Amino acid sequence: MRTLARAAVAALPLLCATLVPTLHAEETVNVASYGGAYQEALKKAFYDPTAKALGITIKDYTLSSIADIRTQVKAGAVEWDVVELYSGQCQQAANEGLLEPLDYNVIKTDGIPKDLVQSHWVGFTAYSTVLAYNTEVYGDNPPKNWADFWNVEKFPGTRALGGYGLSTTAEIALLADGVPKDKLYPVDLDRAIKKLEEIRPHIAAWWTSGAQAGQLATSGEADMLAIWVARIEAAIKDGAPYAFTYDQAIMDVECLVVPKGAPNRELAMKVINSFLSPDLQAELPKYVSYGPINQKAYETGKITAEATANANTSPENLAKQVVQNKAYWAENGQKSQEMWDSFLQKGQ
């Protein structure tokens, strides 16, 4: 018996050394988003309060696209627990089998629009691509919509559009061509390309990142441009003489997903539940004009009248915009990307 007892005591340090890393891993959740001013806002509004409330550590990482998840899952080396995706990639990732199903026994979705509550992803925030313009160039007669953006005679000057693909840019082109908001889908890709050919000679830059778009405004290189609202607001705060409109803006929804094989799946569900709570959703407009997806956030009394007026998901601003059809882009992403690559190559 004494021999067994001594053996048990001797084994304790090894047992503790084995358990401690496991417990530590369970208390740390790795979250990935898109960096920049936006992710700084997420940290203040969501990451820090959630970590404090759950008594955990949240480490944040930056991703570029769905390809990052695909690489981790296929390699069997998943590092991230909660990932934010956009532009149709939510359903695309689900279709590819890259995601864990979400546990809606843990995740409460009261206040989240029903079409944004899916088996493998859930809406998180919404961002808008807006028409921004230089107030020193256009004065009291600024462009008001995408048709004005295309009207180079009435509104001469340099332009910039997103250069990462047809998603969003196609909708903008079709709105400029007179297609009503409620008739955009399914997208007439050929018509969109034809319309983009018209404006191509006047495009100073096809930007491929939010930082680049913001710099185009800060430097004054583009007199008017399509840009994410958070980026143009940051440029304006830095002194850029620009303004923007939500009229005909294209709203896309960021979603939250859990990669297949995530090391802390159960804790990830609790983190997502916290991120979606009305109280934390109401914090976001304090830091960036990306409105809360949970409409109950507007009932908390935490969002000021000024913030509501600026938030892209407020009822007034939402009515002015096109909410992007994520299912369409999930189904047509590859085809549209091939068309876009061909379009860009012809212009070189």
Side-chain angles (χ1 to χ4, degrees):
M1 290 294 291
R2 290 180 179 176
T3 301
L4 288 173
R6 284 196 295 270
V9 170
L12 278 175
L14 180 60
L15 178 63
C16 291
T18 302
L19 286 176
V20 168
T22 302
L23 290 173
H24 177 73
E26 290 175 353
E27 294 173 354
T28 301
V29 172
N30 297 327
V31 178
S33 185
Y34 290 97
Y38 173 64
Q39 192 156 336
E40 285 299 315
L42 295 184
K43 181 175 173 59
K44 295 173 183 176
F46 299 105
Y47 301 174
D48 291 347
T50 295
K52 183 176 181 180
L54 297 180
I56 63 174
T57 297
I58 291 182
K59 291 184 178 180
D60 58 315
Y61 296 79
T62 301
L63 82 156
S64 58
S65 72
I66 188 176
D68 297 334
I69 297 180
R70 190 182 293 123
T71 298
Q72 290 189 20
V73 171
K74 290 189 175 182
V78 177
E79 180 181 9
W80 299 332
D81 301 297
V82 178
V83 179
E84 187 171 348
L85 290 175
Y86 66 86
S87 295
Q89 294 183 348
C90 312
Q91 190 58 49
Q92 182 182 349
N95 293 346
E96 291 185 25
L98 302 177
L99 307 178
E100 297 279 356
L102 298 183
D103 186 351
Y104 288 111
N105 291 318
V106 175
I107 301 169
K108 308 305 177 187
T109 59
D110 292 348
I112 308 293
K114 296 301 181 185
D115 58 343
L116 301 182
V117 180
Q118 301 294 325
S119 60
H120 290 72
W121 61 267
V122 63
F124 176 41
T125 65
Y127 70 95
S128 297
T129 300
V130 298
L131 168 57
Y133 53 87
N134 190 321
T135 56
E136 292 181 350
V137 172
Y138 299 109
D140 297 330
N141 184 34
K144 297 179 175 62
N145 52 45
W146 298 114
D148 288 347
F149 187 97
W150 257 252
N151 191 338
V152 296
E153 294 182 358
K154 184 177 180 181
F155 300 98
T158 55
R159 272 93 162 144
L161 286 170
Y164 47 85
L166 272 174
S167 173
T168 301
T169 304
E171 285 97 333
I172 287 172
L174 292 176
L175 288 167
D177 207 30
V179 177
K181 290 196 302 181
D182 60 349
K183 302 294 184 182
L184 284 173
Y185 302 98
V187 174
D188 187 336
L189 295 173
D190 290 325
R191 181 174 175 179
I193 290 289
K194 184 178 179 181
K195 191 66 176 176
L196 286 166
E197 291 286 4
E198 293 180 14
I199 200 67
R200 187 206 293 268
H202 306 278
I203 299 296
W206 300 95
W207 57 264
T208 56
S209 71
Q212 183 187 2
Q215 182 59 34
L216 289 170
T218 302
S219 66
E221 183 178 347
D223 296 324
M224 68 173 79
L225 70 161
I227 185 172
W228 298 330
V229 66
R231 294 294 183 172
I232 192 60
E233 283 204 328
I236 291 170
K237 287 179 181 178
D238 287 342
Y242 281 71
F244 66 90
T245 177
Y246 278 119
D247 287 333
Q248 294 188 334
I250 311 299
M251 178 184 287
D252 196 0
V253 175
E254 305 276 348
C255 72
L256 296 176
V257 302
V258 177
K260 194 174 188 65
N264 299 296
R265 178 185 175 278
E266 292 185 6
L267 194 50
M269 302 300 169
K270 295 178 181 179
V271 167
I272 291 175
N273 182 58
S274 177
F275 285 1
L276 296 181
S277 67
D279 283 343
L280 292 195
Q281 289 266 309
E283 293 292 312
L284 186 61
K286 293 181 180 179
Y287 307 108
V288 66
S289 286
Y290 283 25
I293 214 68
N294 192 329
Q295 294 297 292
K296 288 194 172 184
Y298 290 105
E299 301 172 9
T300 63
K302 290 186 173 183
I303 305 178
T304 65
E306 180 181 2
T308 298
N310 291 332
N312 62 338
T313 61
S314 69
E316 181 179 355
N317 290 330
L318 185 59
K320 301 175 182 178
Q321 302 176 70
V322 173
V323 179
Q324 196 167 61
N325 186 321
K326 301 179 76 64
Y328 171 83
W329 288 112
E331 294 172 4
N332 294 276
Q334 182 174 350
K335 174 185 175 182
S336 69
Q337 191 62 47
E338 291 172 356
M339 293 179 68
W340 178 251
D341 292 343
S342 176
F343 169 77
L344 288 183
Q345 289 171 5
K346 289 179 181 178
Q348 294 176 350

